[in-house]
Amino acid sequence: MATSADAILDGLDEAQRAAATAVDGPVRIVAVAGAGKTRTVTRRIAYACASGAWDPARTLAVTFSVKAAAEMRVRLAKLGVGEAVTAATFHSAALHQLLRVWDEVCETPFPHITDDQRGLVSKAFARISELQPQESDLRDIHAEINWAKVSLIAPEDYPRVCAALHRRPPAGMEPDRFVELYRAYETVKTSHGEIDFNDILLIACHLLDGFPEVGAAIRSSIRWLTVDEYQDVSPLQHRLMRLWLGDNRNVCVVGDPAQTIYSFAGASSYDLLGFADEFAPLSADINLAVDYRSTPQIVRCANRVLGASPNRADYLKLDSGRRDGMRISRTVYGTDADEAAGVAAAIARLAARGVAPQDCAVLTRLNAQQQVVCAALRREGLRFRVRRDAGWQRSALDDGQAGRQAMLETLGVSGDDAGVTVSTIHAAKGLEFKHVFLIGCSEGLLPYGSPAPGDLLEEERRLMYVGVTRAEDSLHLSYARGKDGAAAMQRSASRFLV
């Protein structure tokens, strides 16, 4: 059902309304956690379409996960836009464009997208070495190949980049040796008639840049572009965005520099912070600084985490849109097992008072912290589901089933009463819970490895901020003095909390 343009703006605060009505030219929206970012962005798209300023069929909104794209589509449908607007991930949007034009540029069928990139890495390793690699080495090599691709670093440039950035190749390799493996990986992949996840974007860039008629056809279908989570854009995604636009300036980017937590995978807030210079003059530059999700106590904690950052000027200070709530709890346990048992018991007490287990989350820095937590929840008779870091890239490609499941979850009709969420902070990005238990808040875990001041430490600081701001009503911070009772080393509280 169509909704009037003015009615679409109902319920927005002043800053959100200003963002939603800025529908022409380049626009930047910096939105803190809990600021109603998705609400504002979808209202902006729906308002522009309902008012006749935009053609829905030529409107593209891209984000970084299938779930986020599904949420956009559901909200747009409720606002009367229906399926006319395309809301997708970068990779899904690029893949659909490639499939649409492939027959015009190539006589062979479109390559198969590999679902076993690690296996290809293993075969490439076997081509250059008789040694049997460790699984952790394959994982790190896989990640480094992806990093090089999204950073637009060709194999022949890799040694020079390593020297300039003081970057160490994975698995103890020398830069030239990694280049040899990287090239072997590309050879193996091609021999299998396959492409990998990031090749989708690289091929899209190649067609847009090297085939004028194809590029013009794709660009003509994108008159109005919105890019969500712009703080996590990689150089490759930024390149694709610029090629999508061409001379078009109707682009809106939305993000929060304080939530850049994928730098290890090539993401950077550089383009969000530099957007005003790159696209000057802007039509609008709007800050959404009110957090409607979290209580003032949680917001104050989040502001303290960011307050000590040398990059503080890059981050907005949050204001809470809620009344006072519960005091943040801080607990020190003897061992990791004690901490897991204490957290599980606390969640059980909440459940006994009528709190739905699915409103509770236990957040960890590492996948390895989750096993002891799951065991403790199981002993308390609590159901749970686990979200890990592995597969975060795959969440950006809609394979049909993933899209349908994300849509059902967004609508709240998935039928999956999964209980307590046990998640890494990375995997919890974009989620929110009434009650959050953030464990392992100690030096060595969060920040991981106790890095010296610099980029690594600031990434860990932003990760802590993201963890804190997942909480709506209550936040429980804890750490254990030791891994077990026999531990010789005593952990200390995270510097982010002292």
Side-chain angles (χ1 to χ4, degrees), residues 121 123 156 202 230 260 309 334 358 428:
V121 172
K123 291 176 181 178
E156 59 269 20
L202 287 166
Y230 197 61
T260 303
S309 171
Q358 58 264 36

Side-chain angles (χ1 to χ4, degrees), residues 216-429:
I218 293 174
R219 275 188 284 271
S220 69
S221 68
I222 306 171
R223 186 72 183 100
W224 295 274
L225 177 62
T226 301
V227 184
D228 190 18
E229 300 289 359
Y230 197 61
Q231 78 281 346
D232 284 330
V233 75
S234 68
L236 174 55
Q237 289 162 331
H238 179 261
R239 171 71 174 153
L240 178 58
M241 183 197 81
R242 291 309 307 254
L243 288 169
W244 275 341
L245 287 171
D247 296 330
N248 180 13
R249 285 172 52 81
N250 287 315
V251 57
C252 172
V253 300
V254 191
D256 179 7
Q259 295 189 67
T260 303
I261 60 171
Y262 291 115
S263 296
F264 66 89
S268 170
S269 62
Y270 174 86
D271 292 308
L272 176 62
L273 294 170
F275 185 81
D277 294 326
E278 183 179 4
F279 286 89
L282 300 188
S283 298
D285 196 2
I286 298 165
N287 293 334
L288 305 181
V290 179
D291 178 356
Y292 293 101
R293 173 191 302 159
S294 304
T295 64
Q297 287 84 350
I298 295 169
V299 163
R300 284 196 291 271
C301 179
N303 282 330
R304 282 198 299 273
V305 169
L306 295 181
S309 171
N311 304 327
R312 186 67 182 93
D314 292 340
Y315 309 140
L316 295 182
K317 183 177 181 180
L318 286 72
D319 293 316
S320 177
R322 296 184 55 186
R323 295 180 179 179
D324 263 4
M326 296 173 56
R327 179 181 174 186
I328 295 175
S329 72
R330 301 184 183 215
T331 308
V332 181
Y333 295 93
T335 67
D336 289 346
D338 294 337
E339 182 178 27
V343 167
I347 295 173
R349 289 193 296 271
L350 287 173
R353 295 204 300 265
V355 172
Q358 58 264 36
D359 287 336
C360 301
V362 183
L363 302 186
T364 66
R365 172 62 180 84
L366 304 173
N367 292 334
Q369 294 171 266
Q370 296 176 345
Q371 184 176 358
V372 65
V373 174
C374 294
L377 291 171
R378 196 177 292 114
R379 287 193 296 270
E380 291 287 348
L382 293 165
R383 295 183 64 190
F384 60 87
R385 65 174 171 183
V386 176
R387 299 176 65 93
R388 297 177 179 272
D389 289 346
W392 70 270
Q393 274 198 329
R394 290 194 296 274
S395 71
L397 193 58
D398 186 346
D399 62 1
Q401 180 180 349
R404 286 189 295 273
Q405 181 61 31
M407 188 75 76
L408 290 173
E409 290 182 6
T410 301
L411 291 168
V413 295
S414 66
D416 181 16
D417 180 14
V420 179
T421 294
V422 180
S423 176
T424 62
I425 302 173
H426 281 105
K429 178 89 182 320

Side-chain angles (χ1 to χ4, degrees), residues 147-169:
W147 175 82
K149 286 194 171 190
V150 302
S151 301
L152 297 176
I153 298 169
E156 59 269 20
D157 296 326
Y158 181 81
R160 186 166 61 252
V161 171
C162 283
L165 299 180
H166 304 289
R167 187 178 182 91
R168 294 181 179 178

Side-chain angles (χ1 to χ4, degrees), residues 117-126 128-146 158 167-174 177-178 181-182 185:
Q117 193 176 354
R118 189 80 59 84
L120 295 177
V121 172
S122 180
K123 291 176 181 178
F125 193 97
I128 70 163
S129 175
E130 295 181 356
L131 298 176
Q132 183 67 30
Q134 298 290 324
E135 186 62 27
S136 59
D137 289 339
L138 291 178
R139 181 193 63 226
D140 293 345
I141 292 166
H142 175 195
E144 188 74 355
I145 289 172
N146 284 335
Y158 181 81
R167 187 178 182 91
R168 294 181 179 178
M173 290 182 165
E174 292 298 321
R177 186 66 164 167
F178 175 78
L181 190 151
Y182 187 176
Y185 166 80

